[in-house]
C-alpha cells in the first residue's frame, strides 16, 4: 500500500450529523499500531476517551461477530483479553510526535519516532 486508504464514511454522512472525528488508528499486520488523537471534540477530561474506547470495544465486537461468525460476547471477551494483555505488558511504549509537526492541531501518537 503506497498511501492510507480511509474507510469510506460517505454512506453514513447523515448518521454522523455534526459529529467530529477524534481518533484514527492504523495497523500494520503483525506490527505496530499508529494512532492519531484529537481530544478537542470529546473534551478536556480523559475520562471521556475511556468511555469512547469502551464504545469502540462493543462496536468492534459486533463487527467481528458479523465478519467472522463468532458471537458478540465471544468477540468482546477476546477484545478485553487483548486489552488486558497489552495493558499488562505493552508491546510498544509509543512516542509523541513533535507538536511543530502537528500543524492541524491533531496530537499524534506514533509507534516509531523515526516515521515522518
Amino acid at each position: 500500500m503506497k498511501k492510507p486508504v480511509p474507510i469510506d464514511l460517505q454512506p453514513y454522512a447523515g448518521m454522523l450529523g455534526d459529529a467530529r472525528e477524534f481518533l484514527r488508528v492504523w495497523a500494520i499486520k503483525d506490527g505496530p499500531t499508529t494512532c492519531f488523537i484529537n481530544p478537542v471534540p470529546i473534551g478536556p477530561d480523559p475520562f471521556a476517551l475511556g468511555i469512547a474506547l469502551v464504545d469502540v470495544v462493543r462496536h468492534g465486537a459486533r463487527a467481528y461477530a458479523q465478519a467472522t461468525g463468532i458471537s458478540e460476547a465471544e468477540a468482546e471477551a477476546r477484545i478485553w483479553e487483548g486489552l488486558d494483555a497489552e495493558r499488562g505488558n505493552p508491546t510498544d511504549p509509543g512516542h509523541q510526535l513533535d507538536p511543530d509537526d502537528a500543524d492541524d492541531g491533531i496530537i499524534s501518537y506514533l509507534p516509531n519516532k523515526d516515521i515522518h
Side-chain angles (χ1 to χ4, degrees):
M1 177 169 56
K2 298 206 184 268
K3 64 179 181 174
V5 179
I7 296 170
D8 181 12
L9 298 178
Q10 196 62 37
Y12 311 103
M15 182 178 80
L16 294 173
D18 63 349
R20 293 181 55 207
E21 182 177 56
F22 67 92
L23 173 65
R24 187 172 288 198
V25 181
W26 297 93
I28 296 173
K29 184 176 170 81
D30 300 321
T33 300
T34 301
C35 303
F36 297 91
I37 302 168
N38 180 357
V40 173
I42 57 175
D45 188 347
F47 187 87
L49 181 60
I51 291 171
L53 292 176
V54 170
D55 290 343
V56 168
V57 167
R58 293 193 176 122
H59 288 288
R62 187 171 302 125
Y64 268 93
Q66 292 172 359
T68 66
I70 64 175
S71 72
E72 282 187 42
E74 184 179 356
E76 186 172 335
R78 287 294 292 159
I79 293 169
W80 286 117
E81 286 177 39
L83 284 166
D84 290 341
E86 181 67 13
R87 189 173 177 199
N89 187 22
T91 56
D92 187 349
H95 300 281
Q96 184 82 19
L97 181 65
D98 185 333
D100 293 336
D101 293 339
D103 58 354
D104 56 4
I106 294 175
I107 298 170
S108 300
Y109 188 68
L110 302 175
N112 182 341
K113 194 171 185 167
D114 297 331
I115 298 174
H116 279 70

